[in-house]
Amino acid sequence: MTMAKGANVAVPAAAVRVELGWRTGPGVPDADASALLLVSGKVRTDADFVFYNQPAHTSGAVRHEGKATTGGAVTDTLRVDLARVEPAIERVVLAASADGGAFGRVPGLYIRVLDAASGTELARYDSTDATVETAFVLGELYRRQGAWKFRAIGQGYDSGLEGLATDYGITVDEPQRAAAPTRAATPPPMPTAPPSAPGPVHLTKVTLTKSAPSVSLAKQGGTSGAMRVNLNWEVRKQFSGWGSKRGRATAGHRDLDLDLCALYELADGRKGVVQALGNAFGALHQPPYIHLDGDDRSGSVATGENLTINLDHKDAFRRILVFVTIYEGARSFADLHATVTLQPLKGAPIDFSLDECTVPSTVCALALLTNDGGDLTVRREARYLVPDRGVSPQRTLDRAYGWGMNWTPGRK
């Protein structure tokens, strides 16, 4: 249902997916979806702002699910569980911010609301009159007589995400106000208690791309403490694995299971792997100073797969290769859209998306961290590898990067 600006429509669903979409191309700025949960037109605390650096509301009702690129089309998605929105919240404002230019240079900008259960489109608003705006309120979900409705708004700001956020009562961290926007998204814990004041929000973000694949952790302030490495994913078209039928990838009804792993080489020459396979979960406060949190199958931005690297011992590292394998549920990464985020305790988060997989790959090198005079440099790899018949994904990766380890079969 395509709507005119100012129109409204009923939302007969318990939960919805809100999709921000546009067409990409040379010179087209990136865009990011966000949501603000309002009482009397303002947020209660900064915790009521859901965006790339704070991707889940403490109530669990709203979360940022991340981006996907298919051909020349990009989408950034929020999920709103309307049944879980706290009774005090009157409106959920749905906004977009541009990174690297104005929305006048973003073609095909739209927002649409989908029933999260069925995928049915409930509402759609196409923005066609953007010029110098760098942030937009595209629409809002609001309560009316005990039910939810969606209104198309189309109100622009030329002051970017900061201007939009402060207009609704968000406190933006002062040192970041003059900083050039970069990018990030790191899943915080999901407590069930009411939101508490978390302090000023940080709008900085760092994105690694093919043209700018590397960044120094020290230059971003990531010099100590624990750094969380998160992988979250979404199956957009569904895999066709373990059989000929299309649909959710299953092997005897087993869900897709991806494993986040890391090969490490320490300064003293010791080498090894951190992975769920063989229960090699590592350790944070003793060698290898890398720990795998657990084994996740949802891929959601609120959980996903997580590694933690202890930067207090960065001098102990020579190199770390973070990678992902398919343990079960599919024969390749085709149609999988994933985002990798590195979140230091201090400094700006770093993230990047994986390219679309076009080969029968079961292992992907994600990021290579190397010690450069005491500073760790992060390099985006996003490299899909195809194992030879009878060769494990881990051994395939070892050969490609010259790790030189001996491998034996293992299971979880």
Side-chain angles (χ1 to χ4, degrees):
M1 175 180 179
T2 301
M3 305 172 64
K5 185 183 297 188
N8 62 77
V9 65
V11 178
V16 296
R17 295 177 70 245
V18 179
E19 181 182 279
L20 170 71
W22 68 96
R23 296 193 305 275
T24 190
V28 175
D30 194 18
D32 295 288
S34 57
L36 300 104
L37 289 75
L38 306 183
V39 177
S40 299
K42 298 287 185 179
V43 297
R44 297 166 300 178
T45 73
D46 293 339
D48 287 339
F49 185 28
V50 176
F51 72 120
Y52 48 75
N53 272 359
Q54 193 167 273
H57 191 258
T58 50
S59 68
V62 183
R63 65 177 183 264
H64 180 240
E65 293 197 327
K67 291 184 178 174
T69 303
T70 304
V74 185
T75 58
D76 196 12
T77 304
L78 299 160
R79 180 185 172 95
V80 183
D81 188 340
L82 297 171
R84 295 178 64 184
V85 175
E86 296 156 295
I89 299 297
E90 300 162 351
R91 300 158 55 202
V92 179
V93 166
L94 306 167
S97 56
D99 183 5
F103 274 111
R105 295 166 48 197
V106 179
L109 180 66
Y110 70 86
I111 186 172
R112 64 177 187 149
V113 180
L114 308 172
D115 186 320
S118 67
T120 302
E121 181 178 286
L122 304 175
R124 177 180 176 125
Y125 168 62
D126 291 88
S127 175
T128 58
D129 55 357
T131 55
V132 299
E133 298 86 355
T134 49
F136 255 104
V137 174
L138 291 170
E140 66 178 8
L141 295 161
Y142 66 99
R143 298 183 194 267
R144 180 60 55 86
Q145 297 178 346
W148 285 95
K149 303 186 77 173
F150 171 79
R151 177 183 291 116
I153 296 179
Q155 175 187 346
Y157 292 73
D158 60 7
S159 50
L161 183 59
E162 179 183 347
L164 184 150
T166 54
D167 198 37
Y168 286 100
I170 297 295
T171 304
V172 176
D173 186 44
E174 286 285 349
Q176 306 297 344
R177 290 196 176 194
T182 44
R183 80 171 298 100
T186 300
M190 302 232 343
T192 57
S196 58
V201 298
H202 302 274
L203 301 185
T204 54
K205 49 180 184 169
V206 176
T207 299
L208 301 182
T209 64
K210 288 181 180 179
S211 58
S214 300
V215 67
S216 159
L217 278 180
K219 289 181 179 178
Q220 301 302 323
T223 57
S224 62
M227 179 173 70
R228 189 181 191 187
V229 182
N230 171 265
L231 173 72
N232 64 78
W233 64 88
E234 180 182 13
V235 181
R236 296 290 292 177
K237 297 179 182 177
Q238 305 298 340
F239 286 104
S240 54
W242 299 101
S244 59
K245 292 183 179 180
R246 297 289 289 179
R248 180 162 179 81
T250 60
H253 302 291
R254 294 174 296 180
D255 291 338
L256 172 66
D257 186 5
L258 302 184
D259 285 341
L260 184 65
C261 317
L263 283 173
Y264 63 83
E265 182 180 1
L266 302 182
D268 62 10
R270 284 181 289 177
K271 300 177 182 178
V273 64
V274 174
Q275 60 179 7
L277 198 66
N279 295 319
F281 287 94
L284 196 59
H285 300 291
Q286 63 187 42
Y289 307 112
I290 305 169
H291 182 254
L292 178 64
D293 294 359
D295 187 22
D296 177 74
R297 293 193 178 204
S298 70
S300 75
V301 72
T303 51
E305 294 267 329
N306 296 281
L307 281 165
T308 305
I309 300 174
N310 191 341
L311 297 181
D312 290 336
H313 295 274
K314 61 183 181 299
D315 291 340
F317 300 124
R318 182 171 295 165
R319 56 177 178 159
I320 302 168
L321 180 63
V322 181
F323 66 99
V324 60
T325 67
I326 297 175
Y327 181 71
E328 66 181 9
R331 288 181 174 172
S332 85
F333 287 106
D335 297 326
L336 173 71
H337 301 282
T339 300
V340 181
T341 303
L342 295 88
Q343 172 67 72
L345 179 64
K346 301 176 181 179
I350 301 161
D351 82 347
F352 59 89
S353 297
L354 297 185
D355 300 320
E356 187 170 348
C357 180
T358 58
V359 295
S361 169
T362 55
V363 58
C364 180
L366 300 175
L368 181 65
L369 287 72
T370 54
N371 194 321
D372 184 12
D375 175 26
L376 288 181
T377 297
V378 180
R379 178 180 176 86
R380 174 188 188 270
E381 295 293 305
R383 179 182 176 188
Y384 294 105
L385 300 173
V386 182
D388 294 331
R389 182 179 295 274
V391 179
S392 70
Q394 289 85 347
R395 188 186 297 271
T396 300
L397 194 83
D398 183 312
R399 289 177 181 176
Y401 286 86
W403 231 264
M405 291 172 55
N406 294 319
W407 296 92
T408 57
R411 293 190 64 82
K412 291 196 284 187

